[in-house]
């Protein structure tokens, strides 16, 4: 004992002095907490072997084994549990005690191989060769682990039950030898975990940047196509543009909607992981924020809307133009047919050699022509009006229309001038007119308007029409029925006119007049009247058929409208209901977060299964557009409403599922129990009275107080609350989301990895040095994570630096800060 003087023995007092010396040793042992039961100095001095060995074992148990602590059991049980854990992977080892379990030597070999596999070729050992196994273990332990040979192999094999205390003492040497390696292993595992988080987050950032760039590039390429308003000249070309647009909506855009939704989900998941691992928030490259993508997407949808409206308006315009152009050609052809030869007729000089009666006849004939001319004035005005409308609507073939119209107008003006000139010439000889055949005159006067009426009737019966509703076609049908009702009276007029002609024939035959067979006042013959009348009668049933077919088409259009309306009136409210139900699920608590997640996924499945109804509605919408139907009184929902609602619904369910997944991620990472999570959600919902999913500052303060967070009304309490608000609302939006609330509460109630913890772990690997070497990193960490550290650690510049020393302290700090690691 240091500082103690031992009694020097003399022959007579030898035993007394020995007992005194031994008692001094026993007192020191007792002062260290060792209970010595039934052991006295006298027995030891007298050489009692059993008592002496018992005392030695008590000392070994106190100083060699008792310090071992494994899961707070006694030293012996703890050491046994440590041995069982370490040898568990070895199927031919079964440690149950500290005597016969070690007889075959495989237990000792397994302990060495588990910690230093290069020292023993365990696969070559045999259970039936215990001497070799024991000697192998004892030799390796003495040579490489500095553990002296305390046991004898032959003694262990030759004893039915080896000495428990001896084996326990020897095994404790292994425990002490390997416990240092356990600390290094723990430190290495912690560093690997932190580095893995950084590597995974860097990969997620790269994936986000790539996805964002691709999506923005697609939008940049697509918008100019949607903003191209170059019109086409034909319906076919415009219909093709509409078909291309439908392909874009049906085939090209939906995958991009999914990509945009996935991008937002990836962004939210990445930010959650960064928060949970105490990393700074991810800031995307310039122009690639989620808000930038949303802005670009909004521009795309605005361009889409304008493009579709423009397409439909252009199709309406071209339809109207085609109709007007056909009408112009019909009226122009009828008029040109009528004017053919009229100029030559008006320029005749026949009155110069005519007799008096012939002059009078020429004058009457000219009066009848003027009546005919006046009747055609209306058609010329219609032709000019149609040409003007075609010009105003930018008809692509306007130059040829204008040229034809101008030719007709010029010819009309010329006919007027020639008519006036001829009339003046005939009137100069009016004194010669004395007699007139009243019957011919009456015939001519009645035949001309009747002929013009028939021509007008034929024109109307052949007139093309364009309608968009059943009411419009019914109007045309009513007008046609009214026209048919006038036919009996017209037939009477025809017979009366023919009767006049027959009367002339009777007079000519009776009185043998010289003008037999000709009518000086008109060129309209009874044969022409009968021929045109027959033509009118043939056109009537054709018109009936055309109107009936158009009526059927309009009825089909109405069926399409009702069919679309019936579906849209179900789908629209269904989408709205699903949106509201998802909103309720996200703020209500029913069961665990996993229950909510399963509930939401069932909703997502039902929504995905609803997709065929949307596709069916798209098909009906396409039929409506192909039928050129532009309005629908049976529903307030347009296809655009349904599309936008559907896309919002898909995005909302995906985002809501992502939010719950992030809550689960937060809960598990922070070690929050389901009961705590429910308590947090219940408090948050209680104060979220407007169900907006956010709390205002005062609501948030009340929520914190309800959870036992003490915030006073004094200046200190105000400052503390301001600090908390800066954490949960860093952008100063004036609201606190549930995710921010959960992050704050978990930060207050749970432990997380920190830069100091990582630094301490590196210090263990470095053997308590302030720097670490490349060799140490490669020895203690997996290859890829070791190289990750080596590539990023700065050189260590302290006074105790050695060549190649690396600064693990600045590296640990940078893992949790703003850095380029």
């Amino acid at each position: 004992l240091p500082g103690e003087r031992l009694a020097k023995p003399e022959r007579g007092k030898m035993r007394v002095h020995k007992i005194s010396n031994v008692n001094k040793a026993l007192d020191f042992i007792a002062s260290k907490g060792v209970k010595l039961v039934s052991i006295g100095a006298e027995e030891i001095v007298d050489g009692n072997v059993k008592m002496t060995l018992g005392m030695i074992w008590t000392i070994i148990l106190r100083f060699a084994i008792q310090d071992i602590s494994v899961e707070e059991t006694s030293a012996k049980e703890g050491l046994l549990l440590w041995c069982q854990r370490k040898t568990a992977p070895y199927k031919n080892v079964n440690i149950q005690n500290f005597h016969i379990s070690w007889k075959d030597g495989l237990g000792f070999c397994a302990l060495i191989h588990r910690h230093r596999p290069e020292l023993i070729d365990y696969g070559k050992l045999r259970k039936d060769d215990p001497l070799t196994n024991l000697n192998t273990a004892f030799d390796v332990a003495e040579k490489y682990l500095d553990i002296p040979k305390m046991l004898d192999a032959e003694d262990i094999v030759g004893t039915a039950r080896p000495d428990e205390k001896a084996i326990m003492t020897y095994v404790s040497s292994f425990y002490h030898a390997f416990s240092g390696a356990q600390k290094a292993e723990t430190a290495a595992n912690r560093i690997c975990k932190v580095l893995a988080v950084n590597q995974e987050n860097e990969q997620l950032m790269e994936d986000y940047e790539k996805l964002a760039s691709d999506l923005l590039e697609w939008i940049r390429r697509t918008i100019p196509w949607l903003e191209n308003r170059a019109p086409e000249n034909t319906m076919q070309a415009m219909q093709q543009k509409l078909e291309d647009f439908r392909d874009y909506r049906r085939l090209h855009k939906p995958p991009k909607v999914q990509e945009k939704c996935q991008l937002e989900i990836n962004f939210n998941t990445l930010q959650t992981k960064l928060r949970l691992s105490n990393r700074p928030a991810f800031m995307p490259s310039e122009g690639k924020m989620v808000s930038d993508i949303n802005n670009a997407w909004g521009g795309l949808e605005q361009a889409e809307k304008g493009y579709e409206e423009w397409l439909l308006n252009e199709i309406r315009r071209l339809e109207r133009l085609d109709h007007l152009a056909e009408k112009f050609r019909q009226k122009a052809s009828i008029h040109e047919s009528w004017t053919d030869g009229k100029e030559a007729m008006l320029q005749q000089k026949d009155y110069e050699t005519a007799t008096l009666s012939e002059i009078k006849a020429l004058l009457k004939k000219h009066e009848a022509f003027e009546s005919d001319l006046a009747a055609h004035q209306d058609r010329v005005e219609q032709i000019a009006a149609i040409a003007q409308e075609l010009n105003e609507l930018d008809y692509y073939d306007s130059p040829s229309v204008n040229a034809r119209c101008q030719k007709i107008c010029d010819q009309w003006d010329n006919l007027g001038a020639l008519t006036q000139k001829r009339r003046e010439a005939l009137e100069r000889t009016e004194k010669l007119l004395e007699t007139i055949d009243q019957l011919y005159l009456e015939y001519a006067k009645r035949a001309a308007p009747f002929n013009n009426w028939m021509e007008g009737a034929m024109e109307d019966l052949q007139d093309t029409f364009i309608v968009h509703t059943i009411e419009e076609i019914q109007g045309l049908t009513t007008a046609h029925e009214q026209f048919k009702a006038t036919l009996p009276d017209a037939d009477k007029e025809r017979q009366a006119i023919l009767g006049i002609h027959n009367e002339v024939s009777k007079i000519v035959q009776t009185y043998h007049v010289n003008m037999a067979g000709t009518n000086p006042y008109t060129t309209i013959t009874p044969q022409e009247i009968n021929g045109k009348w027959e033509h009118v009668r043939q056109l009537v049933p054709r018109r009936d058929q055309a109107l009936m077919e158009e009526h059927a088409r309009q009825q089909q259009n109405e069926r399409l409208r009702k069919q679309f309306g019936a579906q849209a009136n179900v789908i629209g409210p269904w989408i709205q209901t699903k949106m509201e139900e998802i909103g309720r699920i996200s703020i209500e608590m029913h069961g665990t977060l996993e229950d909510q997640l399963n509930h939401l996924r069932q909703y997502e499945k039902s929504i995905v299964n609803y997709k065929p109804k949307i596709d069916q509605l798209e098909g009906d919408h396409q039929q409506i557009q192909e039928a050129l139907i532009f309005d629908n009184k049976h529903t307030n929902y347009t296809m655009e409403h349904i599309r936008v609602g559907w896309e919002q619904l898909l995005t909302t369910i995906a985002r809501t599922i992502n939010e719950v997944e992030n809550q689960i991620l937060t809960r598990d990472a922070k070690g929050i129990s389901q009961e705590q999570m429910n308590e947090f959600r219940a408090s948050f919902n209680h104060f979220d009275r407007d169900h907006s999913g956010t709390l205002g500052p005062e609501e948030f303060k009340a929520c914190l107080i309800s959870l036992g967070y003490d915030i006073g009304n004094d200046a200190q309490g105000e400052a503390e609350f301001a600090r908390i608000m800066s954490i949960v609302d860093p952008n100063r939006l004036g609201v606190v989301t549930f995710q921010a609330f959960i992050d704050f509460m978990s930060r207050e109630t749970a432990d997380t990895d920190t830069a100091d913890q990582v630094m301490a772990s590196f210090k263990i690997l470095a053997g308590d040095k302030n720097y670490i070497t490349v060799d140490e990193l490669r020895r203690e960490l997996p290859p890829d994570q070791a190289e990750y550290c080596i590539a990023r650690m700065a050189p260590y510049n302290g006074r105790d630096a050695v060549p190649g020393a690396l600064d693990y302290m600045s590296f640990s700090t940078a893992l949790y800060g703003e850095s380029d690691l």
Side-chain angles (χ1 to χ4, degrees):
L1 297 174
E4 293 283 346
R5 291 172 60 93
L6 297 177
K8 296 181 179 179
E10 297 179 12
R11 290 182 181 273
K13 299 177 181 179
M14 181 75 70
R15 187 170 185 274
V16 174
H17 291 310
K18 287 181 179 179
I19 291 170
S20 174
N21 290 341
V22 171
N23 272 327
K24 283 185 170 59
L26 295 181
D27 290 344
F28 171 77
I29 294 167
S31 74
K32 294 299 181 180
V34 180
K35 292 183 179 180
L36 298 173
V37 181
S38 302
I39 298 176
E42 290 81 2
E43 288 86 349
I44 295 170
V45 169
D46 293 340
N48 186 322
V49 175
K50 185 175 180 180
M51 286 289 188
T52 304
L53 288 174
M55 184 191 70
I56 292 170
W57 170 243
T58 302
I59 293 169
I60 289 170
L61 188 64
R62 168 61 182 88
F63 293 104
I65 299 171
Q66 191 169 320
D67 288 338
I68 300 167
S69 177
V70 181
E71 294 194 353
E72 300 177 1
T73 62
S74 71
K76 180 178 178 180
E77 290 172 349
L79 187 61
L80 186 63
L81 178 60
W82 180 80
C83 293
Q84 288 170 342
R85 282 183 178 170
K86 291 298 180 181
T87 60
Y90 300 84
K91 301 302 181 186
N92 52 0
V93 175
N94 183 18
I95 304 298
Q96 298 296 329
N97 49 53
F98 284 110
H99 38 82
I100 61 174
S101 292
W102 303 85
K103 282 191 69 172
D104 60 9
L106 290 178
F108 296 109
C109 291
L111 281 180
I112 296 170
H113 185 266
R114 178 69 189 273
H115 293 92
R116 296 286 299 275
E118 77 280 3
L119 297 180
I120 289 180
D121 187 353
Y122 190 86
K124 291 185 177 179
L125 300 179
R126 300 199 319 274
K127 195 172 182 69
D128 57 359
D129 188 7
L131 277 175
T132 301
N133 299 344
L134 289 165
N135 284 320
T136 298
F138 296 163
D139 293 340
V140 168
E142 184 177 53
K143 185 175 182 180
Y144 296 103
L145 303 177
D146 271 341
I147 297 174
K149 286 187 180 180
M150 301 181 190
L151 305 175
D152 181 78
E154 285 79 10
D155 189 37
I156 290 172
V157 173
T159 307
R161 178 185 167 113
D163 183 64
E164 185 178 42
K165 294 174 182 177
I167 289 178
M168 189 169 171
T169 302
Y170 187 63
V171 171
S172 70
S173 300
F174 284 92
Y175 176 91
H176 290 300
F178 292 134
S179 62
Q182 186 67 33
K183 288 182 182 178
E185 180 182 339
T186 302
N189 286 342
R190 170 170 282 170
I191 291 168
C192 288
K193 182 179 176 184
V194 172
L195 295 180
V197 168
N198 268 47
Q199 289 168 313
E200 182 184 355
N201 290 344
E202 286 174 5
Q203 185 61 47
L204 287 172
M205 292 175 192
E206 289 177 15
D207 292 346
Y208 174 91
E209 292 282 333
K210 173 76 167 61
L211 196 55
S213 297
D214 291 349
L215 191 57
L216 287 169
E217 175 61 16
W218 178 80
I219 294 172
R220 187 189 65 76
R221 290 198 315 271
T222 305
I223 286 180
W225 173 65
L226 291 171
E227 289 178 342
N228 179 14
R229 299 291 189 272
E232 300 288 348
N233 292 333
T234 66
M235 277 285 280
Q236 184 180 4
M238 286 306 295
Q239 290 282 11
Q240 183 58 48
K241 282 197 172 200
L242 185 59
E243 191 59 38
D244 292 343
F245 179 72
R246 288 200 194 103
D247 283 344
Y248 159 78
R249 285 307 306 243
R250 191 167 55 239
L251 303 175
H252 304 305
K253 188 185 176 192
K256 298 302 177 184
V257 173
Q258 199 171 355
E259 280 181 24
K260 176 175 173 291
C261 179
Q262 190 61 46
L263 186 76
E264 293 177 12
I265 287 172
N266 290 357
F267 182 84
N268 291 336
T269 300
L270 173 59
Q271 298 293 35
T272 299
K273 288 188 174 182
L274 290 171
R275 279 199 307 275
L276 296 179
S277 55
N278 290 336
R279 297 335 188 249
F282 168 53
M283 182 61 63
S285 304
E286 182 71 27
K288 293 180 187 172
M289 301 282 288
V290 172
S291 59
D292 295 324
I293 289 160
N294 284 333
N295 288 339
W297 191 265
L300 175 76
E301 294 190 325
Q302 193 63 31
E304 267 181 33
K305 186 171 182 291
Y307 188 65
E308 188 170 32
E309 288 174 358
W310 174 77
L311 280 176
L312 296 176
N313 287 334
E314 273 299 294
I315 287 172
R316 285 195 194 97
R317 186 178 71 84
L318 287 174
E319 182 190 37
R320 174 76 178 150
L321 282 172
D322 288 349
H323 172 66
L324 285 174
E326 182 60 28
K327 199 165 188 174
F328 175 86
R329 285 190 285 273
Q330 281 189 0
K331 288 187 178 292
S333 296
I334 292 169
H335 179 75
E336 287 164 348
S337 175
W338 178 82
T339 58
D340 185 40
K342 294 292 189 292
E343 287 169 297
M345 182 269 288
L346 289 170
Q347 290 171 322
Q348 288 181 105
K349 305 290 185 179
D350 51 350
Y351 54 85
E352 294 179 348
T353 57
T355 61
L356 180 62
S357 60
E358 286 171 341
I359 290 296
K360 288 184 178 290
L362 287 174
L363 187 57
K364 295 299 182 184
K365 180 180 179 181
H366 191 70
E367 287 176 0
F369 172 78
E370 283 182 325
S371 176
D372 202 7
L373 188 71
H376 280 78
Q377 175 70 31
D378 184 53
R379 183 178 288 113
V380 174
E381 289 173 358
Q382 288 175 5
I383 289 170
I386 292 171
Q388 178 63 25
E389 190 171 357
L390 285 169
N391 276 294
E392 289 170 357
L393 291 174
D394 295 329
Y395 182 52
Y396 79 99
D397 202 21
S398 281
S400 66
V401 169
N402 292 340
R404 191 170 182 182
C405 181
Q406 189 61 47
K407 184 178 178 183
I408 288 170
C409 290
D410 291 344
Q411 186 187 40
W412 186 253
D413 292 339
N414 191 37
L415 283 174
L418 290 173
T419 300
Q420 182 64 23
K421 186 177 178 182
R422 182 170 176 82
R423 181 169 188 75
E424 290 169 356
L426 290 171
E427 284 177 345
R428 282 195 298 271
T429 58
E430 193 174 8
K431 64 181 185 301
L432 302 172
L433 304 177
E434 293 176 344
T435 59
I436 187 166
D437 188 334
Q438 288 297 330
L439 289 172
Y440 267 147
L441 183 58
E442 187 179 356
Y443 174 92
K445 284 185 175 180
R446 290 175 73 171
F450 185 74
N451 184 63
N452 194 50
W453 174 86
M454 286 193 297
E455 288 182 347
M458 287 189 289
E459 183 178 344
D460 289 342
L461 288 168
Q462 295 178 92
D463 185 34
T464 58
F465 51 81
I466 178 169
V467 294
H468 293 102
T469 66
I470 289 178
E471 289 77 11
E472 289 173 354
I473 191 64
Q474 284 173 341
L476 288 177
T477 303
T478 300
H480 182 59
E481 293 301 321
Q482 289 171 350
F483 167 78
K484 287 199 290 187
T486 66
L487 289 177
D489 288 339
D491 192 39
K492 288 180 184 176
E493 177 66 2
R494 179 183 66 87
Q495 291 174 352
I497 292 170
L498 294 177
I500 294 170
H501 185 76
N502 291 336
E503 191 67 23
V504 170
S505 298
K506 289 178 183 177
I507 293 170
V508 168
Q509 290 172 3
T510 304
Y511 300 101
H512 306 291
V513 292
N514 292 328
M515 59 178 75
T518 61
N519 188 333
Y521 307 123
T522 181
T523 60
I524 300 169
T525 66
Q527 290 79 12
E528 276 183 76
I529 289 175
N530 283 333
K532 288 182 179 178
W533 176 256
E534 191 57 37
H535 193 204
V536 169
R537 287 182 59 196
Q538 290 171 355
L539 288 174
V540 168
R542 290 186 201 166
R543 182 76 166 180
D544 285 336
Q545 180 67 23
L547 290 171
M548 189 168 67
E549 289 172 356
E550 181 60 29
H551 190 270
R553 190 173 78 86
Q554 288 304 323
Q555 283 182 320
Q556 172 62 14
N557 286 356
E558 188 66 2
R559 279 195 294 275
L560 288 175
R561 288 189 185 97
K562 287 180 178 177
Q563 183 175 324
F564 178 90
Q567 289 189 84
N569 289 337
V570 171
I571 291 172
W574 182 88
I575 289 174
Q576 182 62 34
T577 299
K578 288 296 174 189
M579 288 286 283
E580 292 169 0
E581 288 173 354
I582 291 164
R584 281 202 297 277
I585 292 170
S586 66
I587 64 168
E588 290 175 357
M589 285 186 306
H590 293 300
T592 64
L593 287 174
E594 283 78 3
D595 293 340
Q596 293 178 43
L597 188 61
N598 289 335
H599 199 181
L600 285 167
R601 282 180 173 149
Q602 288 170 5
Y603 265 93
E604 185 180 41
K605 188 175 180 182
S606 73
I607 288 167
V608 171
N609 290 340
Y610 204 77
K611 180 67 163 57
K613 294 186 185 296
I614 304 293
D615 293 340
Q616 182 182 352
L617 193 67
E618 281 282 11
D620 291 347
H621 179 62
Q622 182 173 340
Q623 286 185 333
I624 281 176
Q625 285 191 328
E626 287 170 353
L628 300 176
I629 299 170
F630 302 108
D631 56 359
N632 193 344
K633 65 184 179 183
H634 300 294
T635 182
N636 291 326
Y637 291 98
T638 66
M639 196 63 229
E640 186 64 24
H641 288 151
I642 299 292
R643 286 177 191 143
V644 170
W646 177 249
E647 289 171 3
Q648 284 178 346
L649 180 59
L650 289 177
T651 301
T652 299
I653 185 68
R655 282 176 179 160
T656 307
I657 286 173
N658 180 244
E659 286 172 6
V660 176
E661 287 173 338
N662 284 345
Q663 287 180 30
I664 291 172
L665 198 61
T666 301
R667 183 196 68 193
D668 295 343
K670 301 297 186 181
I672 301 172
S673 68
Q674 185 63 48
E675 289 74 23
Q676 281 179 301
M677 185 63 80
N678 287 347
E679 183 183 356
F680 293 160
R681 170 52 87 183
S683 297
F684 189 94
N685 287 352
H686 177 77
F687 292 101
D688 180 19
R689 294 186 174 91
D690 59 352
H691 304 301
S692 64
T694 60
L695 299 181
E698 290 305 313
E699 293 172 330
F700 176 60
K701 182 186 282 187
C703 187
L704 288 179
I705 291 170
S706 77
L707 291 167
Y709 205 98
D710 187 18
I711 300 173
N713 287 324
D714 52 5
Q716 185 177 352
E718 295 279 334
E720 172 62 5
F721 186 68
R723 180 189 71 80
I724 294 171
M725 282 302 293
S726 70
I727 294 171
V728 296
D729 182 23
N731 297 324
R732 299 184 181 177
L733 300 176
V735 294
V736 182
T737 65
F738 183 67
Q739 188 64 46
F741 169 68
I742 287 295
D743 287 345
F744 174 75
M745 291 308 297
S746 63
R747 196 179 299 120
E748 294 296 307
T749 58
D751 185 22
T752 57
D753 65 288
T754 64
D756 290 341
Q757 289 175 336
V758 173
M759 211 178 293
S761 299
F762 273 118
K763 194 173 182 73
I764 290 172
L765 298 188
D768 259 3
K769 300 192 297 295
N770 292 324
Y771 59 85
I772 196 163
T773 67
V774 170
D775 289 342
E776 286 169 337
L777 285 170
R778 285 179 174 150
R779 184 174 71 241
E780 301 293 347
L781 298 180
D784 60 331
Q785 299 198 327
E787 299 308 320
Y788 181 87
C789 294
I790 293 165
R792 288 164 173 76
M793 277 188 187
Y796 176 73
N797 296 321
R799 291 181 179 179
D800 54 343
V802 300
L806 298 176
D807 186 353
Y808 64 77
M809 295 187 186
S810 65
F811 175 81
S812 300
T813 304
L815 281 176
Y816 292 85
E818 304 274 343
S819 77
D820 295 324
L821 277 182

